[in-house]
Amino acid sequence: MEINPAEYGSRSQSSQPAATPSIEAPLSSVSSMSTLWPVLGMGNSRDTLFGRPHATHPLTPRVYEVWQELGSTQTRFCCCGRCVTGPKIDLWYNLCAWFFILIPSGLYFAFCSQKLWNICFWLPILTGVVLVATITFLLLTSCTDPGILPRRRLRMMLPGLDEEVSNVLEMPEDLRDCASDGLTPPNLPDLRQGQGYKWCSTCQVVRPPRTSHCDDCGNCVLTFDHHCPFVNNCIGQRNYVYFSAFLISTLCLGFSVAVGTGISLSGYEPDHPQESVTRNPLLVVFLLLIGVPTAVFLLGVIALLMFHIFLLCTGKTTKEVLTGRRVLQGRSMFERPPSFIHARARVDTPLDS
C-alpha cells in the first residue's frame, strides 16, 4: 500500500486538537486509534449502511466490538453482535429459570410420555410444542434489544444515528440539539420536563417519556418495565411482547406437565386398569420430583401473569406501579420501534469532527 506523504501530512495536521477546549467528552481508545486510520487508507473508504456513511476497511471495528468503550460495560453481545443480553450477575437467576423449564419437562417425557401416548397421543405432542414455544420466547426475550437508547458517545461515532433516534422517537425540535459537556446537565424547559422528558447524566442524552435508566444493565431503555434477572435482560418496549408470550407459554407448559403427571400418578391405564403406578416407589419419587417443582413454579407464573394482565388493562408499567408516578405521554408497550444500537455497523472515523 502506497502512502502519499503530502496527503498523510495534511491529514495528520487535521487530526491535531484545536487550541480551544472541546465540549465533547473524550472518546477513550476509540478516538485515539482514529489517528492511525487515515494512514491505513481508511479515511475515504465509505459506503452506506442503515442509511449512514461508515468506514468499510476490515480493521474498522464494529459497534459491538467497541461497545465497552461507547456504551454500558454490563451489556453483552453474542453471535457476532446479533444477540444482546444483560450482565453476568444474572447468570444464576437465568440458570434457575432454565432448570425449572427443562428438568421437569425432561422427566415428564422420560417417565410419563409413553403412558400418556397410550391414553391420548395428543398430550405429549402438545406438551412438546408448548415446550419449544417456551424455549423460543425465552431466547427472544433474553437475546433481543429491549429498546436501548444509544449513549451520546455512540451517536458521535455513527453519523446520522442521532437524527434517526430523534425522528423515530419524534423528539421536539427544541430538544434535538440539546447537548452537554458531560459535567453540567442542560436546562430542559419546564414544559418538556412536565411531559416526561429527562436528562440522563450517565448516557448524556435526553430521555423520552416513560424511558428509564436501568442500573443493572447501565442503559436507558425505552418504555422501561423492569429488569428481569431470570431472563437476563431488561423488559422494555422492544421485547415486552416476547416476555408476555413467554409467560403465557410457560403457564401452558406448567399445566400440561402437571396434568400429565397427575394422570400418571392416578395409575389410570386403558388396557390394564388394575395396574397402578404406585406399585413402583421409585417411579412415584420421580413423578413427585416433576410435580412439586412444577406446581411451585406454576403458582409464581400465574401470579406474575395476572399482574401483567393488570398492567395491560391499566396501561402502566411495573416501575410506574411501584413508584406511583405515571407519565401520560409516551409510547405503548406494543409499539415496537427499530433497534438503535446497530451492533454490526462499523464505527465511523471522526475525521470530520
Side-chain angles (χ1 to χ4, degrees):
M1 177 179 61
E2 297 182 359
I3 301 177
N4 189 341
E7 181 182 1
Y8 170 65
S10 60
R11 291 187 178 181
S12 300
Q13 293 175 2
S14 63
S15 63
Q16 296 298 325
T20 57
S22 175
I23 63 172
E24 303 292 348
L27 295 179
S28 68
S29 61
V30 178
S31 292
S32 61
M33 292 170 52
S34 63
T35 57
L36 299 177
W37 294 344
V39 185
L40 297 175
M42 299 162 60
N44 295 324
S45 177
R46 300 167 183 266
D47 62 358
T48 301
L49 182 65
F50 300 112
R52 65 175 62 85
H54 74 290
T56 58
H57 194 281
L59 295 182
T60 306
R62 299 184 185 272
V63 170
Y64 77 91
E65 295 174 333
V66 293
W67 184 266
Q68 300 295 318
E69 306 286 345
L70 304 177
S72 170
T73 58
Q74 303 297 325
T75 303
R76 295 178 297 158
F77 290 89
C78 54
C79 299
C80 298
R82 294 178 176 86
C83 300
V84 54
T85 187
K88 295 181 179 179
I89 58 176
D90 293 342
L91 175 62
W92 293 108
Y93 295 96
N94 188 238
L95 291 178
C96 180
W98 283 105
F99 174 85
F100 279 103
I101 292 174
L102 297 180
I103 299 302
S105 300
L107 295 176
Y108 167 88
F109 284 106
F111 297 100
C112 302
S113 59
Q114 184 175 359
K115 176 175 290 189
L116 294 175
W117 185 272
N118 296 328
I119 298 174
C120 180
F121 66 92
W122 284 109
L123 290 177
I125 292 179
L126 291 177
T127 304
V129 172
V130 175
L131 175 61
V132 173
T134 301
I135 295 175
T136 301
F137 287 123
L138 176 56
L139 291 174
L140 288 174
T141 306
S142 302
C143 302
T144 299
D145 171 23
I148 297 176
L149 197 63
R151 293 192 178 188
R152 176 168 168 261
R153 303 173 72 183
L154 177 59
R155 301 186 189 191
M156 294 168 58
M157 298 298 291
L158 287 180
L161 178 59
D162 192 31
E163 182 180 359
E164 176 190 356
V165 173
S166 299
N167 292 336
V168 173
L169 300 181
E170 300 178 353
M171 297 290 288
E173 293 294 337
D174 56 341
L175 297 181
R176 296 200 174 197
D177 297 330
C178 188
S180 173
D181 58 2
L183 300 176
T184 305
N187 294 323
L188 301 182
D190 294 337
L191 175 62
R192 301 307 181 190
Q193 295 185 35
Q195 293 173 344
Y197 293 93
K198 295 182 179 180
W199 173 260
C200 179
S201 58
T202 302
C203 301
Q204 297 184 7
V205 295
V206 177
R207 296 199 305 249
R210 308 191 80 182
T211 301
S212 298
H213 187 87
C214 177
D215 294 330
D216 295 301
C217 290
N219 297 307
C220 285
V221 180
L222 298 173
T223 319
F224 177 75
D225 188 81
H226 70 286
H227 179 86
C228 182
F230 294 101
V231 301
N232 193 25
N233 206 349
C234 290
I235 306 302
Q237 193 171 354
R238 296 196 73 254
N239 64 348
Y240 187 80
V241 174
Y242 298 146
F243 179 72
S244 301
F246 167 67
L247 291 180
I248 296 174
S249 61
T250 304
L251 181 63
C252 295
L253 177 64
F255 272 120
S256 180
V257 173
V259 170
T261 304
I263 295 176
S264 298
L265 285 174
S266 66
Y268 175 77
E269 187 100 16
D271 299 331
H272 306 282
Q274 71 280 4
E275 293 186 3
S276 176
V277 71
T278 55
R279 294 182 180 180
N280 189 342
L282 183 60
L283 183 58
V284 172
V285 172
F286 275 109
L287 292 178
L288 289 176
L289 289 177
I290 302 174
V292 174
T294 301
V296 175
F297 185 66
L298 191 59
L299 291 176
V301 173
I302 292 175
L304 186 59
L305 182 59
M306 294 299 294
F307 176 70
H308 279 276
I309 291 177
F310 163 76
L311 295 179
L312 292 177
C313 294
T314 57
K316 299 180 181 179
T317 65
T318 300
K319 184 174 182 179
E320 291 173 347
V321 171
L322 296 179
T323 59
R325 296 191 301 268
R326 182 185 179 187
V327 180
L328 297 180
Q329 296 190 7
R331 292 175 175 264
S332 168
M333 295 297 294
F334 292 98
E335 297 180 29
R336 193 169 186 267
S339 177
F340 295 129
I341 56 178
H342 299 311
R344 291 187 53 79
R346 297 190 181 274
V347 295
D348 192 35
T349 57
L351 297 177
D352 301 328
S353 59

